[in-house]
Amino acid sequence: MGSHPMTIAVVSHDAGSSEILCALIREYFDLYSWHIFAIAQSPMGRLCERYNLPFTPIADPEQQLRAIGPDLLLFGTGWQEKIERPYVRFCKEHAISTVAFLDHWSNYRERFGFPDVGWEENLGDFTAVADQKALLLVESFNLPNPVGFKNFYLRDTIARASQKEAHPNNNLLFLSEPTDAVALRTYGDKNYWGFTQFSALEEILKHFDSFGCAGLTIRLHPSDKGSGYKKILKAYPHIRVQINDAAVCELTDQLLNAKMIIGFDTMALYIAALLGSPVLSYLPSKNREFLLPLPSERQVRTLSKISPKLLTASPLSSDDFGMDFALFIKTSASKRQALVP
């Protein structure tokens, strides 16, 4: 390799793995030659702009990759767009190592196209995760060469948040997720899990008194539209509600200021728990498993008997997890020789 830094191509779309990838790139920015491919108005494109990371708009993957001759491709996974697939295909055809980055703890195989025939072709040579629970999941699905990295995104988020001053607002914060859209896209049925974000909100409003909060804040997921909630809220005029757009309200500010936080299994709930806020992972049906690495008493199917103990802080600590990225690069370079047919 001589004195030339290794060339690493990165392609990503969805917010979860894009956050993890951007934090990793910033951590090791000077050690390697990075080339990011993204859609300008996508979550990844917006993150690159926020962090001043230069990126190239998605075009013809073959031309783009030939022009830079990467040693390695890191790619994000998610359920929205599949822009990474032709990049992965090209790299596999040209014996360039690929690393799939998984965020969160859900739909690990589905991101690659499971159960469609040939879905394994979309897998990376390596499968990167950022915590112990994710590692066990990846191993249980037999995804290729699991590797653990430090989650610099979480580390940086917690560090920044812990320097902020909280301005408690005494509200219950509901972290919305477009559950109906995901269920429809994945299983062809909006109500596949036996609930949607709207039916869950109805339950939260019905049991609102048990939370001892002054009002309700709904934080809209970036791909969730607020209109569906407004209809439901009309029936509860006595509850003070505000609906906030994720793009406008800084996540950790909202997590620090809320009296209590409820959601399904969004990463933001896990961050809130790491910040010491009282959290509840609420899945109102047995059709969906609890995925967040939270204490089991924080995972509830019903809101009818909420223990007052759950309204207090939920101390979690993020352990020291993951191998050093530079070490991985060294070992993957030697493994790569072994991968070449």
Side-chain angles (χ1 to χ4, degrees), residues 87-105:
Y87 290 85
V88 175
R89 201 173 307 126
F90 178 88
C91 288
K92 287 188 156 179
E93 284 164 6
H94 295 84
I96 297 162
S97 282
T98 56
V99 187
F101 275 70
L102 299 174
D103 64 300
H104 211 279
W105 301 270

Side-chain angles (χ1 to χ4, degrees), residues 25 62 66 151 201:
I25 294 166
E62 192 160 329
R66 278 192 197 284
N151 191 330
L201 177 66

Side-chain angles (χ1 to χ4, degrees), residues 6 8-10 21 47 59 82 88 102 151 166 168 184 186 190 206 213 216 224 228 230 247 255 267 303 307 312:
M6 195 165 184
I8 303 179
V10 180
L21 280 164
L47 286 171
K82 303 298 177 200
V88 175
L102 299 174
N151 191 330
L184 184 64
T186 315
K190 274 186 181 179
K206 268 184 213 156
C213 291
L216 174 70
D224 206 353
K230 294 190 177 125
L255 300 180
M267 186 72 175
L303 300 177
S307 143
T312 57

Side-chain angles (χ1 to χ4, degrees), residues 266-315:
T266 165
M267 186 72 175
L269 266 185
Y270 181 55
I271 294 172
L274 289 173
L275 289 172
S277 302
V279 302
L280 275 187
S281 171
Y282 170 50
L283 295 176
S285 146
K286 289 210 169 86
N287 299 1
R288 189 153 138 187
E289 282 174 70
F290 288 105
L291 293 168
L292 294 175
L294 293 173
S296 56
E297 68 273 11
R298 300 261 161 203
Q299 302 177 323
V300 299
R301 299 276 183 205
T302 167
L303 300 177
S304 55
K305 296 187 217 34
I306 293 293
S307 143
K309 184 167 99 253
L310 294 178
L311 307 178
T312 57
S314 39

Side-chain angles (χ1 to χ4, degrees), residues 145-161:
N145 297 315
V147 53
F149 293 139
K150 252 188 194 23
N151 191 330
F152 296 112
Y153 162 64
L154 265 189
R155 182 202 66 184
D156 296 348
T157 302
I158 305 288
R160 275 198 310 273

Side-chain angles (χ1 to χ4, degrees), residues 46 173-174 176 217-226 242-251 254:
R46 287 196 291 270
L173 174 63
F174 172 47
S176 90
T217 305
I218 299 173
R219 178 183 168 88
L220 292 179
H221 184 276
S223 47
D224 206 353
K225 305 285 171 274
Q242 57 189 50
I243 299 181
N244 296 146
D245 193 330
V248 181
C249 293
E250 215 280 312
L251 175 65
Q254 289 202 292

